[in-house]
Amino acid sequence: MSEQQLEDYDDYRTTDVLVVGSGIAGLAAALGAAREGCDVTVATKATRPEGASSWWAQGGIAVSRDDPEQFKDDILTASADTADPDAVDVLVDGANDAVSDVLVDTLGVDFDTNGGAETADGDDWDFGREAAHDEPRILHVDASTGKAIHVPFLNYLDDHDDVTVRDDTAALELVSHEGRVHGALLEHEDEVTPTFAGATVLATGGIGDLYSRSTNPDGSTGDGVAMAALAGADVADMEYVQFHPTVYPGSDAEGDGPFLVSEAVRGEGARLLNAAGERFMPEYHDDAELAPRDVVARAVQTEIDATGEVVLDVSPLDFEGEFPGLAAKCDERGVDWESGIPVGPAEHFLCGGVDVDTRGRTSLDRLYAVGECSRTGVHGANRLASTSLLEGLVWGLRAGEDASDYDPEVVEAPELLDRDPALPDNFAREKFHRLRRTMDEYVGLRRSPDDLGRAQAVLRRLKGEVDAYVRTRTARSLYELRHASVTALLVTRAAAENGESVGTHNLVEEPAKTQAD
Ligand code: SIN
């Protein structure tokens, strides 16, 4: 270590593979590398398990039944033919093996069945249906599939001799040297420690904190995308931000946030009604409520703007019997689901991210990205339902295996100018507020060229204000703000540069009525 490092840091660690993030993609990468005999460190901001997006996943995990080609077609069609067919092949061809090996055989996940005797090939599984799927092909556990996978996965890795999970530990910045990534600066309880790794796998999830309404857990600040981009890695498809159409909006006044009402509920027959009690989706798409998610999200917003409200009418199904978890959640929040659940669009998933190949390799040596923070090409401009857990699992395993070939090297770490962790009062809160207003108003479901120009100007200013503090303070909230502002700029710039309305990227002429700045 150099003199500078000795001055800046009390300690450092080494590991063969550093995984940043603890959703299904990160855990699969850890498993893949540990199976190759590596010593693996998983660093996660989450004080688990609810801090990872995967825990919140409701619908399930799609698998390939009798007709894999149809599954591939569904993914391509939902993406408006913008997904990469080679990546889709990797996903679908690897789906069943990964699910049986890891989820069923290793973790023992108890997917719902139809109640008969379970067969080895899962013939008795109760395959669910979701929008834009040609057939029911979704394995699920009630509508709490994420939790049912994530908890045993964490427990399994906790017991694994070669894996160390560090909770409440944020990655602030990658350590890179001469074009190669050697780990990251990790912060835990205000202490910053470099962790040097043979390979580094980013699995930091989504960007929900960039919008005021999202289905992601708090802390979804785009860390992996921003750290990779700041280190010089390529990112792609950043303009493709998916909004989920059926999110109960919550109430700011009472401080209770939004919650997702799974697409699986529409798969079982629920209908969308406007404030006049009219079913409107058949006017927007032949597949009505089961149209691709971007189409349904825009239609719901249009009807809210025109009539004041949209509700999800669950009377065609046995809601309480089929979705007990969701019914209980409604009861707990005082939502009278028998009269229809008020819903609207909310940010849900970033289809783009750090550009990776079929093994999760980024454009930087020894840096990998998996799960929502990566752009594999599987989703193109709009993701098909229940493919995100699958993508995280398939790419996580592949990346973990590939990342297992390297030994850690101790190199010079980024310089810290000041050890004071504190920030001025309200600094992060005020800047986050400005960032979210900008993204909500200018970079949401509908985007106009003028608004995207305005948003870039606001975000550039904001990033400048944040950068002035970086490395002079080590507060986690400062780095989260930095990551959020870098990611917001990447989304906005990509949206401004793409003149084609496609999938989730919907261009309109009219600027928004309000000013975020
Ligand atoms: C849902 O349950 O509606 C979400 C599923 C997904 O995002 O794939």
Side-chain angles (χ1 to χ4, degrees):
M1 288 195 15
S2 73
E3 287 298 312
Q4 181 60 54
Q5 276 177 277
L6 288 172
E7 279 170 26
D8 281 359
Y9 305 99
D10 292 334
D11 198 4
Y12 70 93
R13 293 196 179 94
T14 60
T15 186
D16 294 337
V17 175
L18 171 64
V19 178
V20 183
S22 62
I24 189 169
L27 300 185
L31 178 66
R35 281 176 168 178
E36 297 297 311
C38 286
D39 152 67
V40 182
T41 300
V42 178
T44 173
K45 288 201 297 192
T47 41
R48 52 198 186 148
E50 321 60 290
S53 290
S54 299
W55 190 88
W56 296 91
Q58 294 187 8
I61 184 159
V63 291
S64 184
R65 294 185 70 189
D66 300 333
D67 191 354
E69 295 312 309
Q70 184 61 51
F71 186 11
K72 293 176 187 175
D73 267 6
D74 290 353
I75 294 174
L76 287 163
T77 304
S79 78
D81 286 321
T82 55
D84 171 355
D86 293 336
V88 174
D89 284 348
V90 170
L91 183 83
V92 173
D93 297 343
N96 291 11
D97 283 351
V99 168
S100 351
D101 164 17
V102 178
L103 304 189
V104 178
D105 297 341
T106 308
L107 305 179
V109 176
D110 219 358
F111 289 113
D112 286 359
T113 65
N114 290 314
E118 212 170 317
T119 60
D121 58 4
D123 270 347
D124 192 47
W125 278 332
D126 173 31
F127 292 104
R129 173 137 203 204
E130 288 184 32
H133 284 271
D134 179 73
E135 63 172 345
R137 60 163 78 90
I138 295 153
L139 292 178
H140 61 99
V141 181
D142 173 26
S144 312
T145 313
K147 202 185 302 181
I149 292 174
H150 195 239
V151 172
F153 214 156
L154 270 176
N155 291 342
Y156 180 85
L157 291 179
D158 261 343
D159 290 342
H160 200 296
D161 289 344
D162 297 326
V163 180
T164 306
V165 181
R166 296 195 184 286
D167 292 337
D168 189 17
T169 300
L172 304 184
E173 187 166 343
L174 294 174
V175 175
S176 57
H177 186 67
E178 296 177 350
R180 176 175 290 168
V181 172
H182 291 275
L185 292 187
L186 301 183
E187 178 273 337
H188 173 70
E189 295 181 348
D190 293 334
E191 280 297 314
V192 180
T193 310
T195 292
F196 298 102
T200 304
V201 184
L202 298 170
T204 56
I207 61 165
D209 279 25
L210 273 55
Y211 292 88
S212 57
R213 193 175 291 167
S214 159
T215 60
N216 296 180
D218 287 346
S220 301
T221 43
D223 301 341
V225 176
M227 286 190 292
L230 288 168
D234 295 339
V235 299
D237 289 351
M238 288 296 292
E239 65 274 40
Y240 300 134
V241 178
Q242 183 172 71
F243 288 76
H244 197 290
T246 56
V247 177
Y248 175 73
S251 135
D252 287 346
E254 286 159 27
D256 52 5
F259 69 85
L260 177 68
V261 185
S262 176
E263 206 158 274
V265 182
R266 275 176 284 135
E268 292 300 317
R271 301 170 318 162
L272 287 160
L273 309 180
N274 62 22
E278 288 156 2
R279 184 176 178 218
F280 55 85
M281 271 316 300
E283 287 162 36
Y284 288 86
H285 196 281
D286 289 347
D287 293 333
E289 279 83 359
L290 296 185
R293 199 172 272 175
D294 57 321
V295 176
V296 184
R298 280 194 293 277
V300 167
Q301 190 59 54
T302 302
E303 294 292 322
I304 291 174
D305 293 345
T307 75
E309 189 183 47
V310 165
V311 299
L312 188 66
D313 168 22
V314 296
S315 62
L317 61 142
D318 172 13
F319 183 60
E320 215 169 6
E322 294 191 50
F323 298 98
L326 272 173
K329 179 96 186 168
C330 287
D331 292 342
E332 183 191 306
R333 296 283 292 271
V335 180
D336 174 15
W337 51 266
E338 284 175 271
S339 310
I341 306 168
V343 289
E347 193 282 334
H348 184 58
F349 191 88
L350 175 64
C351 299
V354 187
D355 203 18
V356 296
D357 68 8
T358 58
R359 301 215 151 262
R361 292 179 286 220
T362 72
S363 59
L364 296 182
D365 193 20
R366 302 199 191 171
L367 180 68
Y368 294 74
V370 292
E372 189 173 346
C373 73
S374 70
R375 181 269 182 198
T376 60
V378 159
H379 310 306
N382 181 54
R383 179 171 69 78
L384 180 69
S386 285
T387 52
S388 57
L389 292 175
L390 183 61
E391 183 197 41
L393 179 65
V394 169
W395 255 266
L397 286 174
R398 293 169 75 88
E401 279 163 26
D402 204 88
S404 64
D405 280 346
Y406 313 105
D407 293 324
E409 280 172 60
V410 176
V411 297
E412 196 161 327
E415 194 181 1
L416 290 180
L417 301 179
D418 190 334
R419 307 187 67 103
D420 179 1
L423 271 180
D425 281 354
N426 293 333
F427 180 88
R429 192 166 344 125
E430 188 270 315
K431 301 270 181 292
F432 257 116
H433 180 70
R434 186 152 29 121
L435 186 147
R436 286 189 191 115
R437 267 186 67 190
T438 305
M439 296 303 283
D440 284 349
E441 292 180 11
Y442 298 150
V443 203
L445 265 181
R446 303 180 185 118
R447 297 136 178 212
S448 80
D450 284 355
D451 284 343
L452 291 170
R454 269 188 209 115
Q456 286 191 84
V458 178
L459 293 168
R460 270 196 217 106
R461 249 189 338 264
L462 194 140
K463 182 176 168 299
E465 291 163 27
V466 174
D467 281 350
Y469 281 93
V470 166
R471 295 222 197 104
T472 68
R473 302 286 195 281
T474 54
R476 187 184 299 186
S477 59
L478 173 66
Y479 280 80
E480 290 185 318
L481 184 58
R482 181 198 208 193
H483 296 157
S485 58
V486 168
T487 308
L489 257 176
L490 290 169
V491 171
T492 308
R493 193 179 304 147
E497 285 170 0
N498 185 351
E500 186 195 0
S501 254
V502 59
T504 55
H505 178 55
N506 182 235
L507 288 170
V508 295
E509 284 301 317
E510 274 294 290
K513 290 193 186 65
T514 47
Q515 297 277 324
D517 51 342

